[in-house]
C-alpha cells in the first residue's frame, strides 16, 4: 500500500525482459545481414546487389505495411498481432538457417519477416501501454528503448563474431531461439482492447503500399539491370500523390482514413517526421556501402568489417544516452548539430578512401558521424510526437515509424545501387580508355564485369586473369582498385546529401517553438 492507501501494482519484470528481448531481435537482425554480405554471397553463389536488395526490401515491406499492421492489431487484437509478428520474424530467421538461394531469403526473410515487423512494432507499443502504468510504464519503455540501442551498438560486432567463427546461419538460429523464449512467455501478456473506429480504409492502404513500394522497387530493379525503372518509380510517385489526395478527400467526407491527414497540420510533426526520414536515409546509406567496401576491397571477414564500423554504432549509442539526459539546449539546436556532425563525419571519409589501407582509417570520421546520429536519436522522436495528443500518439508514432523505415529502405537501396552502378560504369570506361588492353581484352573485361565484377575482390580477379601477361594483369587490377574507390566516394554522396537536407530542415525547426514533452511521447522509443 502507498501513503494514500492505494494498492501498488507489482512490476512484471519477466514480461518487461521478454519485450526487451523481442526488440533486441528486431534491431540486431539487419546488422547481422549487413556484416555478413560477403559470406552470404559466397555460400549462396549470388550477387552483392541481390543480398543488398533483400536487405532494402525487408525495410521497405516493414515501412509499407506498418500503418496497416497497426490497424490490423486494432481489429484482431494487439496480443494476437504481437504473436503473429513474432512468428513472421521466426519464419524469416529459420528460413535463413536453411536457405539455399536468394529467392528463399527474399520470400521468407525480407517479405514475411518485414510483414512480421509491421505487426510487431505497433502491437508492442500498445501492449506496453496497456500492461504497465505510471512509473512502471516509463521504466519498460526505457528498457525496451535501451535494448534497441544496445542491439544497434553491438550488432555489427556480434554478427561479425558469429559469422567469422561459426556461420552467419548460426546468428539467425539464435534469433529463432530468442523468439521461441519470448513466445513461451506469452501467457504473461494481457491483451489490450481497442474501442475506436473499426472500419478499414482499403484504398488508402493499397495506395500507401504502391507509393512507397514503387519508389524503392524501381531503384532495386535499376540496380539489377532490369527495365521499366522510370515507369515503376513513376507509379510509386503517383501512388504517393494519390494517397495524399485520397486521405484529404475522405477526411472531408467524414469517412475513416488509413491515417488522419490532420496530423500533418502541425509544423513540428512535419519537420520532425522529415528529420526522421533523412536521418534513416543517412544511416541506411552509410551502413550498406561501408560493409560492402570493407569486404570487397580490403577482403575483410565479417568480424573485421564489424570491428571497423563499430565506432559508428558505439558512439551513436553512448551519445544518445548522454544527450537524452544531460543536454539543456533547445532540441532543434541539438538536431541541427546532429545533422551537421553526420555531414562532417561522412564527408571526411571521401578523401580518406584512396589512401586507406585498412578500416581503421575510418575510425575518427565514423565516431564523428556516430555522435551526430546519437544526438538525432536522442531528440527526434520526442520532438516529432510532443505536439500530438495522447489519444492520437499511437497513430502518429506509426507514421513516424513508417517514415523512418521508408527512409532506411530508400537509403539502403539508393546508396547500394549508386555504388554498384558507378563501379560498373567506371570499370567499363577505364577499360575502354586503357592503352594496355587490346580491344578484345576490353570486350572480355566488360563481359566479365557484367557477370561477376560486383563481387570481385582483387584476389578473385587475379585468379580470373592468371593466363594474361603481367602487364595486362597489373592494368586490370589497377582499374578494379581505382573503380572501387570512386564507387564508394560517389555512393557516400547519398548520406551526405541527406545530412545537408537535414541541416536545412533543422534550421526550419529553430524558427518553431520548443516542444513540451508529454508522457505519451516519452513512450515512443520503439520508432
Amino acid at each position: 500500500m502507498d501513503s494514500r492507501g492505494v494498492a501498488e501494482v507489482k512490476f512484471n519484470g519477466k514480461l518487461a525482459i521478454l519485450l526487451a528481448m523481442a526488440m533486441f531481435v528486431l534491431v540486431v537482425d539487419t546488422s547481422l545481414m549487413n556484416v555478413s554480405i560477403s559470406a552470404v554471397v559466397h555460400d549462396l553463389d549470388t550477387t552483392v546487389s541481390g543480398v543488398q536488395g533483400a536487405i532494402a526490401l525487408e525495410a521497405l515491406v516493414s515501412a509499407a505495411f506498418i500503418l496497416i499492421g497497426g490497424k490490423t492489431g486494432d481489429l484482431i487484437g494487439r496480443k494476437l498481432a504481437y504473436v503473429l509478428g513474432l512468428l513472421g520474424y521466426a519464419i524469416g530467421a529459420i528460413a535463413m538457417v536453411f536457405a539455399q538461394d536468394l529467392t528463399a531469403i527474399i520470400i521468407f526473410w525480407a517479405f514475411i519477416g518485414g510483414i512480421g515487423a509491421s505487426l510487431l512494432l505497433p502491437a508492442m507499443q500498445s501492449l506496453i501501454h496497456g500492461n504497465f502504468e505510471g512509473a512502471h510504464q516509463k521504466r519498460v519503455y526505457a528498457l525496451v528503448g535501451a535494448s534497441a540501442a544496445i542491439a544497434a551498438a553491438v550488432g555489427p560486432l556480434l554478427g561479425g563474431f558469429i559469422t567469422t567463427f561459426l556461420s552467419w546461419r548460426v546468428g539467425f538460429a539464435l534469433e529463432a531461439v530468442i523468439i521461441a523464449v519470448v513466445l513461451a512467455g506469452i501467457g504473461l501478456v494481457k491483451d489490450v482492447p481497442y474501442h475506436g473506429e473499426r472500419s478499414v480504409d482499403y484504398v488508402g492502404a493499397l495506395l500507401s503500399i504502391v507509393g512507397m513500394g514503387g519508389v524503392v522497387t524501381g531503384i532495386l530493379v535499376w540496380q539489377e539491370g532490369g527495365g521499366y525503372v522510370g515507369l515503376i518509380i513513376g507509379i510509386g510517385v503517383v501512388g504517393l500523390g494519390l494517397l495524399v489526395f485520397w486521405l484529404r478527400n475522405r477526411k472531408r467526407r467524414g469517412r475513416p482514413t488509413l491515417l488522419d491527414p490532420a496530423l500533418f497540420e502541425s509544423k513540428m510533426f512535419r519537420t520532425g517526421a522529415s528529420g526522421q526520414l533523412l536521418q534513416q536515409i543517412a544511416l541506411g546509406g552509410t551502413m550498406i556501402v561501408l560493409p560492402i567496401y570493407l569486404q570487397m576491397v580490403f577482403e575483410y571477414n565479417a568480424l573485421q568489417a564489424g570491428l571497423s564500423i563499430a565506432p559508428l554504432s558505439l558512439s551513436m549509442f553512448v551519445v544518445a544516452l548522454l544527450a537524452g539526459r544531460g543536454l539543456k539546449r533547445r532540441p532543434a539546436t541539438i538536431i541541427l548539430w546532429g545533422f551537421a556532425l553526420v555531414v562532417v563525419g561522412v564527408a571526411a571519409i571521401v578523401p580518406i578512401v584512396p589512401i586507406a589501407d585498412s578500416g581503421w582509417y575510418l575510425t575518427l570520421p565514423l565516431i564523428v558521424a556516430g555522435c551526430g546520429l546519437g544526438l538525432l536519436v536522442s531528440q527526434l522522436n520526442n520532438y516529432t510526437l510532443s505536439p500530438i495528443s495522447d489519444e492520437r500518439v499511437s497513430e502518429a508514432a506509426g507514421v513516424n515509424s513508417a517514415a523512418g523505415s521508408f527512409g532506411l529502405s530508400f537509403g539502403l537501396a539508393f546508396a547500394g545501387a549508386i555504388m554498384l552502378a558507378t563501379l560498373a560504369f567506371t570499370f567499363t570506361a577505364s577499360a575502354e580508355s586503357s592503352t594496355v588492353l587490346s580491344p578484345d581484352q576490353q570486350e572480355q573485361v566488360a563481359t566479365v564485369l557484367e557477370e561477376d565484377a560486383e563481387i570481385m575482390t582483387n584476389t578473385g580477379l587475379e585468379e580470373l586473369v592468371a593466363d594474361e601477361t603481367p602487364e595486362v594483369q597489373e592494368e586490370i587490377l589497377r582499374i578494379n582498385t581505382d573503380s572501387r574507390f570512386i564507387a564508394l566516394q560517389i555512393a557516400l554522396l547519398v548520406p551526405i546529401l541527406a545530412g545537408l537536407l537535414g541541416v536545412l530542415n533543422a534550421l526550419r525547426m529553430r524558427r518553431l517553438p520548443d516542444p513540451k514533452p508529454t508522457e505519451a511521447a516519452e513512450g515512443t522509443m520503439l520508432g
Side-chain angles (χ1 to χ4, degrees):
M1 302 283 287
D2 65 13
S3 59
R4 295 170 296 179
V6 179
E8 183 177 350
V9 178
K10 186 178 179 180
F11 179 67
N12 192 338
K14 290 183 179 179
L15 176 57
I17 292 173
L18 291 173
L19 290 167
M21 289 171 64
M23 177 54 68
F24 182 89
V25 169
L26 280 174
V27 177
V28 83
D29 185 71
T30 301
S31 295
L32 178 59
M33 279 293 285
N34 281 336
V35 298
S36 305
I37 287 177
S38 61
V40 175
V41 168
H42 179 268
D43 287 357
L44 301 185
D45 191 25
T46 184
T47 63
V48 171
S49 62
V51 177
Q52 180 264 321
I55 295 172
L57 183 61
E58 194 270 348
L60 169 63
V61 171
S62 175
F65 287 91
I66 197 165
L67 298 177
I68 306 167
K71 188 63 178 181
T72 301
D74 294 342
L75 298 177
I76 68 174
R78 276 66 177 269
K79 183 175 180 178
L80 178 57
Y82 177 70
V83 171
L84 292 176
L86 286 170
L87 289 175
Y89 242 76
I91 289 171
I94 293 171
M96 293 296 286
V97 176
F98 299 102
Q100 298 301 312
D101 55 39
L102 185 61
T103 302
I105 293 179
I106 291 174
I107 294 174
F108 295 104
W109 182 77
F111 189 77
I112 295 180
I115 292 290
S118 71
L119 287 169
L120 184 57
L121 282 169
M124 185 183 293
Q125 181 160 308
S126 296
L127 290 175
I128 293 175
H129 197 77
N131 281 264
F132 300 92
E133 296 180 358
H136 292 335
Q137 186 181 102
K138 290 185 178 182
R139 183 177 172 187
V140 177
Y141 276 126
L143 177 63
V144 172
S147 176
I150 291 171
V154 306
L157 295 173
L158 184 63
F161 181 87
I162 292 173
T163 301
T164 300
F165 295 105
L166 298 171
S167 167
W168 60 274
R169 298 181 189 273
V170 173
F172 290 101
L174 292 175
E175 284 188 17
V177 171
I178 294 174
I179 293 173
V181 172
V182 174
L183 286 171
I186 197 64
L188 298 172
V189 179
K190 176 186 69 176
D191 202 0
V192 180
Y194 173 71
H195 302 292
E197 175 63 54
R198 302 188 70 84
S199 300
V200 180
D201 180 7
Y202 292 106
V203 175
L206 178 62
L207 289 174
S208 70
I209 295 171
V210 171
M212 290 188 285
V215 173
V216 178
T217 301
I219 296 171
L220 295 177
V221 170
W222 168 53
Q223 175 183 288
E224 291 293 328
Y228 304 103
V229 172
L231 176 61
I232 296 172
I233 294 177
I235 290 174
V237 172
V238 171
L240 290 174
L242 289 175
L243 175 63
V244 173
F245 173 80
W246 171 263
L247 293 176
R248 288 178 175 175
N249 184 59
R250 196 168 170 88
K251 176 74 173 180
R252 282 196 299 266
R253 292 186 288 128
R255 305 292 300 278
T257 56
L258 176 68
L259 60 95
D260 189 351
L263 284 173
F264 296 94
E265 293 176 359
S266 167
K267 292 182 179 179
M268 289 175 63
F269 182 79
R270 292 201 307 270
T271 56
S274 298
Q276 184 84 343
L277 174 77
L278 294 168
Q279 175 211 353
Q280 292 297 324
I281 291 175
L283 177 62
T286 305
M287 292 299 287
I288 194 65
V289 299
L290 288 182
I292 293 175
Y293 176 77
L294 292 167
Q295 293 176 68
M296 301 308 155
V297 175
F298 296 139
E299 303 186 29
Y300 277 3
N301 60 32
L303 178 58
Q304 291 170 318
L307 286 170
S308 296
I309 62 176
L312 178 73
S313 54
L314 291 174
S315 58
M316 180 173 65
F317 170 60
V318 172
V319 171
L321 289 182
L322 296 177
R325 297 176 181 178
L327 290 181
K328 303 301 181 183
R329 293 181 177 273
R330 293 185 61 195
T333 300
I334 298 174
I335 292 170
L336 175 62
W337 274 105
F339 277 115
L341 287 174
V342 169
V343 172
V344 171
V346 178
I349 298 176
V350 175
I352 291 175
V353 167
I355 63 173
D357 57 13
S358 76
W360 296 114
Y361 278 73
L362 308 180
T363 301
L364 185 58
L366 289 180
I367 290 175
V368 173
C371 289
L373 289 168
L375 292 176
L376 296 175
V377 168
S378 73
Q379 302 296 319
L380 272 175
N381 273 348
N382 186 68
Y383 183 94
T384 306
L385 300 172
S386 58
I388 307 301
S389 60
D390 286 1
E391 61 269 18
R392 299 175 65 194
V393 74
S394 181
E395 180 183 17
V399 175
N400 192 43
S401 295
S405 295
F406 177 71
L408 181 64
S409 64
F410 182 86
L412 289 167
F414 194 52
I418 288 291
M419 183 177 186
L420 297 177
T422 303
L423 173 63
F425 174 80
T426 306
F427 201 124
T428 302
S430 298
E432 291 177 348
S433 62
S434 173
T435 58
V436 176
L437 302 180
S438 67
D440 289 342
Q441 289 169 333
Q442 292 174 1
E443 184 177 350
Q444 181 183 5
V445 166
T447 303
V448 169
L449 173 69
E450 186 174 345
E451 298 176 355
D452 296 316
E454 67 172 69
I455 63 169
M456 192 64 65
T457 62
N458 276 351
T459 300
L461 200 55
E462 286 175 352
E463 296 175 358
L464 198 65
V465 298
D467 296 334
E468 301 292 341
T469 64
E471 293 79 8
V472 170
Q473 292 182 36
E474 183 179 350
E475 178 71 357
I476 292 177
L477 291 175
R478 181 194 66 77
I479 292 173
N480 188 51
T481 300
D482 293 346
S483 297
R484 292 182 186 279
F485 291 157
I486 297 171
L488 176 62
Q489 290 171 318
I490 297 298
L492 288 175
L493 294 178
V494 174
I496 291 172
L497 179 59
L500 289 173
L501 292 175
V503 168
L504 295 177
N505 191 60
L507 291 174
R508 292 174 57 203
M509 290 179 176
R510 285 171 57 85
R511 295 196 292 267
L512 301 174
D514 290 337
K516 296 180 180 180
T518 65
E519 182 174 330
E522 289 176 359
T524 55
M525 299 177 71
L526 308 183

